[in-house]
Amino acid sequence: MAYTDDAVKAKLSSLNETQESIVSVAQWIMFHRRHADRTCAIWLERMRETTVNKRLTLIYLANEVVQQSKARRKEDFLVAFSPVIAEATATAYKGATNDVQDKIRRTVEVWNQRRIFDKPIQEAVEARITELDKSRSGKKTGLLGGSLFSGGSGSSAPTELQPLIPLQLALSKANAASQPATTSANAEFEKLHDPQKPTPTPPVHAARLSALLKSLSSAESAVAESIRTRQDLVHGLEKLLETNRTALESDKAQLTSIQERRESTEKKKREVEDAIMRGASTPYTPDPATRGENGQNTINGRTPSSVEPERPKVEELTPPPTTDAFTPPTDSSNFRSDEVLSTPGYPSAQFPSEPSYLAASPQSNSPLPPPSTDPRYNTPSSGGGGGGGGGPAKKRKLDVEFEGFGAGEDAMAGLDEDVAELLRAESGGAIQHPH
C-alpha cells in the first residue's frame, strides 16, 4: 500500500489492543520512515479525535515505534515524536480510568529507564502527568506517595534551580506545539510551490493559499511563543549565573583570607616551637621599669634565667610520740639512779635509788645480778614450761662467783641485820658471815 494520509488514517483506525495489530501497524509505519513527520502529525490528530479507550492503543503504537527505532538506531521517528509526545501523553492520560493511567505511567517509566527520549522531552512528559495528578483531588502523585518517576523533576531539584523548572517546562511545551505546526506549514508551502506540479485553477489556488496562510500564521505564533519562553529561561539562567559569579568572588576572597591566616599561624607555631627548644616555653614582655642596670630584663632584681619557681607549701610530717619508749644508758657506771629524766612535752619520771647490791665491784664494771626476791626481776613460770614441770614458781639460785669479791670482807657490812640474814638464807650459804 502506497503512503498517503488516508492510508495512515486507515491503519490507525484498524488498530486494536492486540500485540499482532500493534506490531503490524508499527512495521508499516517504520517502512515509510521518510514520512515520519507527517505520520506523527496524523497520529496526534487521531489522538485528539478518538475516544478515551482508543488512546491507550495509540500510546502503545508510539511506544513500539520509538523503541524499535532506538534499537535499530534510526532517529527519524524519535525526532518526529519528540515535539508531540508530551501533549499526546497528557491527552491520553487526562480523563482516563485509574487502570489506564497506571498503564500509561508504566510506559512512561520504561521510556525513562531505557532513555528513549532526550532528558528535556522526558521531563516534559512527566511534568504534564504530574500536573494532571495534582489537579485531581485526593490523587497521589506516586505509588509510594513520592514522585511518579525516578528521574523526574520536582522537589528533588536544588532550591536554586526551582525557579528554572517552570521555565523549562514552558519551553518544552512551546517546542512541542511549535515543531509540528512548523513542519506542517513548511510541508504545505513546499507542496503548493512545487514547480513540477501544475498550477491549479485560480479559485482552488486561492483556497490553498488561504489554508497555507492559516498554517503559516499558526506556526508563526507557536515559534514566537517558543522564543518568548526560551528568552525567559535564558534570563533565569543569566540571573543564576550572576548570583554564582558573585558567590565565586566571595569564595575567592574568603580563600585568600584563610590562606593568609594559615600561613601566619604556621609562622607563629614555628616561633613557639623554637622558643620551647631554647627553654622559654612562653614569651615574656617585661615592664620597662623592671629592666636592670645593663638593660636586661629582671624580675624582683633577678634575670628570668635565674628566677626559680617557688616551692610548694607542704605540711611537715611529724611522727607521733611514743610514751613507753625509753632506752637506758648503755654505760651503767655513768647512770645515776637518783637522776630525774625528763622529756620535753612529757611528764618527768623519777626512778628509784640504786640498791647497794647493784654496785659494781672495784675489779669489774659489770653490776651484780639482782636478787630473786626483787619482784621487778622475777619471771613467773608458764604453766606448761620446760624442765621444771608445772610446779610453783621457783626462785632462781644465784651461784655466781665474782672474782675478788668477799676476800676476807663482810659483804653484808652496812646492812640491817634482818636484811643480811634474809640474803644469806636466799643465797643458800653462798654468802658466809665472816668469823
Side-chain angles (χ1 to χ4, degrees):
M1 182 183 294
Y3 181 87
T4 60
D5 292 352
D6 295 336
V8 175
K9 292 179 181 179
K11 287 290 183 180
L12 296 179
S13 299
S14 63
L15 186 67
N16 55 55
E17 295 182 359
T18 62
Q19 184 177 1
E20 295 178 358
S21 176
I22 294 174
V23 172
S24 175
V25 175
Q27 289 178 353
W28 184 87
I29 290 176
M30 293 177 64
F31 179 78
H32 299 282
R33 63 177 180 273
R34 292 179 299 175
H35 307 282
D37 294 337
R38 185 58 184 167
T39 302
C40 289
I42 298 174
W43 175 83
L44 181 60
E45 293 177 2
R46 181 68 179 175
M47 178 72 71
R48 295 170 180 169
E49 297 172 354
T50 191
T51 61
V52 177
N53 296 330
K54 289 283 283 187
R55 290 172 181 173
L56 179 61
T57 307
L58 294 175
I59 292 294
Y60 284 161
L61 175 63
N63 176 64
E64 179 69 20
V65 172
V66 295
Q67 289 207 48
Q68 290 295 332
S69 300
K70 188 75 172 180
R72 298 177 184 180
R73 297 182 180 180
K74 302 296 183 179
E75 303 293 334
D76 301 14
F77 279 100
L78 292 175
V79 174
F81 271 109
S82 293
V84 300
I85 193 63
E87 181 183 354
T89 305
T91 302
Y93 191 84
K94 184 178 180 180
T97 62
N98 293 335
D99 183 50
V100 173
Q101 289 182 349
D102 291 339
K103 293 179 180 179
I104 295 176
R105 282 198 296 265
R106 284 195 293 268
T107 303
V108 175
E109 181 66 21
V110 171
W111 296 345
N112 183 29
Q113 292 175 356
R114 299 183 181 181
R115 299 179 180 179
I116 301 299
F117 297 102
D118 294 338
K119 188 175 180 180
I121 304 301
Q122 181 69 30
E123 290 178 352
V125 174
E126 296 173 0
R128 296 292 295 273
I129 295 178
T130 303
E131 289 177 0
L132 292 174
D133 285 336
K134 290 180 179 180
S135 63
R136 299 179 60 181
S137 60
K139 181 66 177 179
K140 295 184 179 179
T141 58
L143 297 179
L144 299 178
S147 177
L148 268 176
F149 312 100
S150 59
S153 61
S155 59
S156 60
T159 306
E160 294 79 5
L161 299 179
Q162 291 292 338
L164 300 178
I165 295 177
L167 300 177
Q168 180 62 49
L169 294 176
L171 177 60
S172 300
K173 184 178 179 180
N175 287 335
S178 65
Q179 291 185 6
T182 303
T183 302
S184 177
N186 291 333
E188 291 182 7
F189 182 85
E190 294 293 337
K191 183 178 179 180
L192 186 61
H193 293 80
D194 189 359
Q196 297 179 357
K197 292 183 178 181
T199 304
T201 59
V204 174
H205 195 194
R208 290 181 178 179
L209 289 175
S210 298
L212 178 59
L213 288 174
K214 186 178 180 180
S215 298
L216 290 175
S217 178
S218 177
E220 181 182 4
S221 300
V223 174
E225 180 66 17
S226 177
I227 292 174
R228 185 188 66 80
T229 55
R230 193 177 298 276
Q231 288 177 345
D232 293 342
L233 179 60
V234 170
H235 179 70
L237 291 173
E238 289 177 349
K239 184 178 180 180
L240 179 62
L241 181 61
E242 185 64 26
T243 302
N244 282 273
R245 283 176 177 172
T246 304
L248 179 61
E249 296 298 328
S250 177
D251 291 342
K252 288 182 178 180
Q254 187 175 6
L255 177 61
T256 303
S257 176
I258 292 176
Q259 290 177 346
E260 293 177 355
R261 292 183 177 182
R262 180 180 60 80
E263 293 175 357
S264 63
T265 304
E266 289 180 352
K267 182 179 179 181
K268 185 65 176 178
K269 178 175 174 290
R270 288 192 298 267
E271 293 176 357
V272 172
E273 289 177 349
D274 294 342
I276 293 175
M277 296 300 296
R278 292 193 302 265
S281 59
T282 55
Y284 172 71
T285 305
D287 192 343
T290 61
R291 294 184 176 274
E293 297 179 357
N294 54 357
Q296 295 182 350
N297 301 331
T298 59
I299 300 177
N300 296 330
R302 294 181 292 175
T303 59
S305 59
S306 63
V307 174
E308 297 181 357
E310 297 181 358
R311 295 183 178 180
K313 296 180 180 181
V314 181
E315 183 180 358
E316 297 182 357
L317 177 61
T318 304
T322 304
T323 57
D324 57 347
F326 172 71
T327 304
T330 56
D331 189 0
S332 61
S333 61
N334 297 328
F335 176 74
R336 294 180 58 188
S337 60
D338 57 349
E339 182 180 3
V340 178
L341 301 179
S342 62
T343 305
Y346 294 92
S348 300
Q350 180 67 37
F351 291 90
S353 59
E354 179 183 3
S356 59
Y357 54 79
L358 293 179
S361 63
Q363 292 83 5
S364 174
N365 292 331
S366 299
L368 290 176
S372 59
T373 57
D374 194 338
R376 292 177 298 174
Y377 299 96
N378 291 338
T379 304
S381 62
S382 58
K394 296 182 180 180
K395 298 180 180 180
R396 293 185 302 170
K397 185 176 182 181
L398 296 178
D399 191 6
V400 183
E401 294 182 358
F402 296 92
E403 182 181 359
F405 177 77
E409 296 181 2
D410 188 1
M412 302 299 177
L415 295 178
D416 186 74
E417 289 296 335
D418 295 335
V419 175
E421 189 66 26
L422 179 60
L423 290 176
R424 290 190 186 96
E426 290 294 335
S427 62
I431 304 176
Q432 301 293 334
H433 190 279
H435 298 288

